[in-house]
């Protein structure tokens, strides 16, 4: 192993290394567990080889998300293939990789067209480094600098259109790093047309383009800045074999690239669970007393714990749900949380507290149930190595960052992991934490009612139904990308696809928000349907699991049937396409009164509802219809 580069990952033990060399048979769970460690390229290659050798009986699922990645590079990239496959295991994916290299992407797309079509990629990575653009400096010439940068971004835009027209797949772009062959002086950032200025202009233009296109951006420039540009590049490897960066950085590059790819396929972290003693503050509140906790100015440790709280609060403002899991007397810990004068976090910043003497794994499972969020969306931050090891063993889906002994080093280690990567940022993201805190209050209120019907009536719910529009477009695309459980077909559509559906008069599009006495739940559902000859054909129907059991599917169907009547259609039809995560909606259409009309190999089912025979279900929800069906 080389020097640790991803310090948030635990180092493999001697037995882990031995197991990686000997593992065989069909033990994917052991492979996934091993992948949680930091491996160099050789170790990741072994994991990829073991994965390739696994033979499962016909029909037995691997439990891994299968994703085909096409990587187009103007430089040498073939050495990245097994590194990407091994890294995919860390993120619960079986990544198949096709690499087309050592040529301009425009040429590769033509030269390898038949092979690419046969491979049928799910996502395309445009791995172009600075050498692909010939950014010849024009020092002191601002007009020329603008033209050079504009040409580079226009070229990327043209390649994107070529990929879209040929394959209709999302693209991952990457920012440029400085070419070490050009002059680098402190003054370069002040000189228009210097190499540093040109690279900055291209990266800015690329960011603007990706923001509008709805694609993904891998910030390679940020990675190189974190480890130092002299460490990122290797003049020797560029001269010998045209490697775009030093080969020892391949695992770091693969980790961040695969994390973005995973995001596109619904795998994202949304919850940060915090320990209290020696994590949010220094000391043990039950033993040391509130007044003796290390928190606040006056000591490096106290300031470090305050900084950690400030980081958590900033994450909350970016939509990350904060929870507390602590082994403590609840009254003692809450008193410190509420009244210590140096606390940065406030009680209302935390969606759910789990303060008790139960083991942490049970508490995280309880938090998952309360929030209706999968454990694979959780990150667990705890100073105690034993607690971290227990969570890694009991709940391998949970991300558990390894932490240095010195608390002052925690933040850079944690931030380097980029756990909470997203495709963008919306108003819904900003308010998400408050939605989940309100959900916890609803769950508490539910316990005070003997009958579910009485509880639902007490919520005084209103469903706002709108067609797709530009304001909601990014959030709609996010929901389509992330929703896995209550998702009838799990068809993924990009922001551009959403815009196309929005403008298509042959399609019905719904974005739904639910509000109640506890506040706005945000956008909780999306429907896309085609207007057929005799029916409304449902293409996509998904809903946030946060509002399960509230009557939203029944209200949505009432709306769809009313729309079908308005259009003179006799039926509403839908299909269910099974995935390993959406079994909860396998009987969705049956439960709503649809008749089964077809079954296909693999479990796909087709359903039909007669409009004439339908009687409105009238759940206790007012529908505020901005589309016009009611």
């Amino acid at each position: 192993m080389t020097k640790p580069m991803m310090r948030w990952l635990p180092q493999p033990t001697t037995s882990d290394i031995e197991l990686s060399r000997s593992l065989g048979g069909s033990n994917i769970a052991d492979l996934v567990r091993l992948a949680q460690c930091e491996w160099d390229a050789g170790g990741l290659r072994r994991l990829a080889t073991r994965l390739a050798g696994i033979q499962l009986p016909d029909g037995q699922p691997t439990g891994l998300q299968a994703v085909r990645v096409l990587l187009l590079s103007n430089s040498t990239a073939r050495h990245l293939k097994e590194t990407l496959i091994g890294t995919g295991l860390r993120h619960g994916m079986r990544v198949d990789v096709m690499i087309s290299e050592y040529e301009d992407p425009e040429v590769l797309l033509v030269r390898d067209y038949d092979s690419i079509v046969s491979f049928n990629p799910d996502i395309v990575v445009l791995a172009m480094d600075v050498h692909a653009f010939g950014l010849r400096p024009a020092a002191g010439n601002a007009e020329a600098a603008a033209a050079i940068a504009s040409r580079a971004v226009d070229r990327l835009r043209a390649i994107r259109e070529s990929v879209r027209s040929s394959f209709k797949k999302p693209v991952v772009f990457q920012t440029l790093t400085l070419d070490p062959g050009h002059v680098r002086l402190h003054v370069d950032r002040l000189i228009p047309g210097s190499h540093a200025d040109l690279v900055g202009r291209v990266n800015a233009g690329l960011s603007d383009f990706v923001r509008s296109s709805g694609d993904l951006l891998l910030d390679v420039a940020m990675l190189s800045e974190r480890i130092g540009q002299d460490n990122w590049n290797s003049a020797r490897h560029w001269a010998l074999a045209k490697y775009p960066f030093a080969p020892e950085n391949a695992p770091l590059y693969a980790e961040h690239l695969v994390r973005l790819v995973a995001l596109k396929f619904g795998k994202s972290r949304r919850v940060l669970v915090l320990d209290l003693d020696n994590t949010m503050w220094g000391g043990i509140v039950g033993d040391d007393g509130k007044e003796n906790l290390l928190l606040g100015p006056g000591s490096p440790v106290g300031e470090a714990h305050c900084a950690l709280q400030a980081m958590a609060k900033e994450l909350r403002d970016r939509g990350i749900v904060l929870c507390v899991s602590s082994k403590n007397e609840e009254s003692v810990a809450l008193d410190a949380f509420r009244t210590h004068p140096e606390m940065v976090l406030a009680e209302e910043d935390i969606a759910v507290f789990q303060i008790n003497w139960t083991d942490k794994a049970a508490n995280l499972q309880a938090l998952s149930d309360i929030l209706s969020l999968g454990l694979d969306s959780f990150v667990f931050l705890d100073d105690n190595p034993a607690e971290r090891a227990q969570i890694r063993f009991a709940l391998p889906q949970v991300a558990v960052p390894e932490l240095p002994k010195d608390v002052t080093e925690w933040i850079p280690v944690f931030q380097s992991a980029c756990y909470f990567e997203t495709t963008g940022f919306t108003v819904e993201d900003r308010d998400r934490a408050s939605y989940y805190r309100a959900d916890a209050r609803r769950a508490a209120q539910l316990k005070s009612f003997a009958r579910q019907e009485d509880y639902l009536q007490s919520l005084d719910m209103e469903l706002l139904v709108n067609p797709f529009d530009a304001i909601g477009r990014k959030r709609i695309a996010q929901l389509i990308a992330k929703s896995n459980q209550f998702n009838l077909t799990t068809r993924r559509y990009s922001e551009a696809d959403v815009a196309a559906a929005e403008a298509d008069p042959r399609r019905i599009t719904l974005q739904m928000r639910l509000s109640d006495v506890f506040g706005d739940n945000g956008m909780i559902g999306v429907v896309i349907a085609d207007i057929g000859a005799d029916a409304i054909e449902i293409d996509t129907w998904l809903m946030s699991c946060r509002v399960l059991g509230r009557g939203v599917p029944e209200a949505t169907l009432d709306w769809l049937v009313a729309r079908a009547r308005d259009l003179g259609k006799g039926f509403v039809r839908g299909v269910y396409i099974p995935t390993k995560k959406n079994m909860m909606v396998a009987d969705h259409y049956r439960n709503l009164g649809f008749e089964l009309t077809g079954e296909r190999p693999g479990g796909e089912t087709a359903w039909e509802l007669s409009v004439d025979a339908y009687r409105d279900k009238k759940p206790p929800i007012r529908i505020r219809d901005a589309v016009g069906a009611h």
Side-chain angles (χ1 to χ4, degrees):
M1 290 290 295
T2 55
K3 181 181 177 182
M5 192 170 291
M6 296 181 281
R7 291 196 295 163
W8 64 90
L9 296 176
Q11 294 300 298
T13 64
T14 301
S15 62
D16 289 333
I17 295 171
E18 289 302 317
L19 184 60
S20 74
R21 289 171 173 157
S22 62
L23 192 64
S26 58
N27 202 334
I28 288 181
D30 273 348
L31 267 181
V32 172
R33 186 187 64 76
L34 287 173
Q36 305 312 309
C37 298
E38 180 178 15
W39 297 94
D40 59 15
L44 291 169
R45 190 179 307 118
R46 285 199 299 277
L47 298 185
T49 303
R50 299 288 173 258
L51 178 63
I54 285 179
Q55 299 294 328
L56 295 176
D58 288 345
Q60 181 175 329
T62 64
L64 300 172
Q65 168 87 47
V67 178
R68 293 181 298 276
V69 176
L70 169 64
L71 189 144
L72 304 173
S73 173
N74 60 291
S75 304
T76 298
R78 196 159 299 275
H79 63 292
L80 296 173
K81 180 172 182 176
E82 290 170 316
T83 305
L84 289 166
I85 294 172
T87 303
L89 286 165
R90 187 178 297 140
H91 296 273
M93 297 193 297
R94 185 164 192 156
V95 179
D96 192 5
V97 183
M98 175 181 176
I99 291 180
S100 191
E101 63 175 356
Y102 220 70
E103 187 56 272
D104 287 337
E106 298 94 324
V107 176
L108 296 173
L109 286 168
V110 175
R111 186 191 75 188
D112 298 336
Y113 179 80
D114 291 341
S115 300
I116 295 171
V117 169
S118 177
F119 180 67
N120 189 23
D122 297 304
I123 193 165
V124 178
V125 179
L126 204 55
M128 297 172 70
D129 63 78
V130 68
H131 301 95
F133 295 92
L135 300 179
R136 188 179 182 81
N141 189 335
E143 186 176 346
I148 291 169
S150 180
R151 279 199 300 273
V153 176
D154 287 346
R155 182 183 172 198
L156 290 166
R157 188 179 286 110
I159 296 172
R160 175 67 184 94
E161 284 310 305
S162 178
V163 171
R164 173 175 288 280
S165 62
S166 299
F167 308 111
K168 296 181 172 56
K169 302 298 180 185
V171 174
V172 179
F173 292 89
Q174 62 183 42
T175 55
L176 305 182
T177 61
L178 296 177
D179 179 354
H182 284 288
V183 172
R184 285 187 295 173
L185 300 172
H186 293 288
V187 74
D188 280 3
R189 291 189 187 278
L190 308 179
I191 300 177
S194 69
H195 181 65
D197 177 61
L198 292 178
V199 170
R201 288 173 187 254
V202 173
N203 286 341
L206 174 60
S207 301
D208 289 342
F209 166 55
V210 172
R211 188 181 301 116
S212 62
S213 73
D215 292 301
L216 295 169
L217 184 64
L218 176 65
D219 196 352
V220 176
M222 177 191 73
L223 296 181
S224 72
E225 288 167 3
R226 281 185 174 173
I227 69 168
Q229 290 177 3
D230 290 343
N231 295 319
W232 179 257
N233 295 302
S234 169
R236 180 171 177 271
H237 285 91
W238 174 255
L240 291 176
K242 297 297 179 284
Y243 278 43
F245 48 81
E248 57 266 31
N249 295 325
L252 178 67
Y253 174 87
E255 167 65 17
H256 285 268
L257 175 55
V258 171
R259 189 184 295 281
L260 276 185
V261 172
L263 187 64
K264 200 66 179 175
F265 291 89
K267 294 177 175 292
S268 63
R269 304 284 179 184
R270 309 184 209 177
V271 182
L272 175 59
V273 182
L274 304 163
D275 175 44
L276 291 179
D277 289 340
N278 287 320
T279 303
M280 286 298 96
W281 52 59
I284 300 173
V285 66
D287 294 339
D288 302 326
K290 176 178 66 178
E291 64 280 5
N292 294 315
L293 295 178
L294 289 172
L295 187 64
S299 79
V301 172
E303 292 181 9
H305 285 292
C306 272
L308 197 67
Q309 289 194 27
M311 180 197 74
K313 199 175 185 77
E314 186 177 343
L315 284 170
R316 182 196 180 280
D317 293 341
R318 293 283 293 264
I320 303 307
V321 180
L322 303 184
C323 297
V324 164
S325 176
S326 171
K327 288 180 177 176
N328 253 310
E329 286 299 330
E330 183 178 32
S331 59
V332 174
L334 279 179
D335 175 62
F337 202 98
R338 289 165 175 158
T339 63
H340 194 290
E342 300 298 339
M343 283 292 294
V344 178
L345 287 170
E347 188 174 357
E348 57 266 26
D349 293 327
I350 307 298
V352 186
F353 287 89
Q354 288 283 323
I355 303 175
N356 49 44
W357 296 104
T358 305
D359 71 84
K360 296 283 180 80
N363 273 335
L364 262 64
Q365 186 61 64
L367 289 170
S368 172
D369 295 340
I370 292 169
L371 298 171
S372 295
L373 286 173
L375 285 165
D376 58 358
S377 65
F378 278 53
V379 177
F380 175 66
L381 188 67
D382 193 308
D383 70 297
N384 189 329
E387 300 282 15
R388 298 198 297 266
Q390 192 233 352
I391 296 299
R392 287 192 188 109
F393 177 79
L395 306 172
Q397 320 92 303
V398 176
V400 184
E402 195 62 14
L403 296 172
K405 290 183 178 178
D406 184 351
V407 66
T408 62
E409 296 184 15
W410 287 8
I411 288 181
V413 171
F414 185 86
Q415 297 282 38
S416 296
C418 294
Y419 282 119
F420 300 106
E421 195 64 70
T422 66
T423 56
F425 185 69
T426 66
V427 173
E428 299 281 337
D429 293 324
R430 185 196 63 197
D431 296 338
R432 184 187 302 126
S434 60
Y435 298 156
Y436 282 97
R437 180 171 169 78
D439 284 346
R441 293 163 60 199
R442 292 184 188 96
Q445 174 155 316
L446 174 60
K447 294 178 181 176
S448 65
F449 287 89
R451 298 194 322 145
Q452 176 79 3
E453 294 80 3
D454 295 336
Y455 161 69
L456 294 179
Q457 289 288 354
S458 75
L459 292 178
D460 190 26
M461 293 180 285
E462 180 176 88
L463 186 68
L464 175 59
V465 181
N466 269 307
F468 287 3
D469 57 23
I471 295 173
R473 194 178 300 156
K474 184 175 283 296
R475 176 56 181 162
I476 293 165
Q478 278 186 348
L479 274 176
I480 290 174
K482 291 179 179 178
S483 298
N484 293 310
Q485 298 181 86
F486 195 112
N487 192 334
L488 274 300
T489 53
T490 319
R491 290 172 177 143
R492 307 298 192 190
Y493 293 122
S494 69
E495 203 170 324
D497 296 327
V498 170
E502 175 186 320
D504 190 342
R506 298 165 300 177
R507 305 200 100 175
I508 295 170
T509 60
L510 306 180
Q511 52 174 319
M512 295 174 284
R513 304 179 68 93
L514 184 70
S515 60
D516 59 28
V517 293
F518 290 102
D520 186 4
N521 292 268
M523 191 184 297
I524 51 84
V526 166
V527 173
I528 300 173
D530 295 305
I531 302 173
D534 65 342
I536 286 179
E537 311 272 358
I538 299 170
D539 173 277
T540 294
W541 188 343
L542 59 88
M543 190 183 80
S544 168
C545 290
R546 291 191 295 111
V547 295
L548 284 174
R550 307 267 292 273
V552 175
E554 290 79 3
T556 304
L557 183 58
D558 283 353
W559 189 99
L560 286 170
V561 171
R563 183 66 170 150
R565 289 190 181 114
D566 289 346
L567 293 169
K569 308 300 179 186
F571 302 94
V572 176
R573 298 193 183 104
V575 295
Y576 164 70
I577 302 174
T579 70
K580 68 171 187 165
K581 288 191 171 182
N582 72 348
M583 294 305 293
M584 68 181 298
V585 290
D587 291 324
H588 169 78
Y589 286 119
R590 188 193 310 277
N591 294 337
L592 289 175
F594 285 65
E595 297 290 333
L596 180 65
T597 58
E599 296 181 77
R600 292 181 178 175
E604 181 176 330
T605 52
W607 302 84
E608 181 178 272
L609 181 79
S610 168
V611 169
D612 287 342
Y614 184 77
R615 298 292 176 267
D616 282 357
K617 299 186 180 303
K618 298 180 179 177
I621 301 176
R622 291 187 307 282
I623 296 180
R624 187 148 63 95
D625 178 16
V627 182
H630 278 191

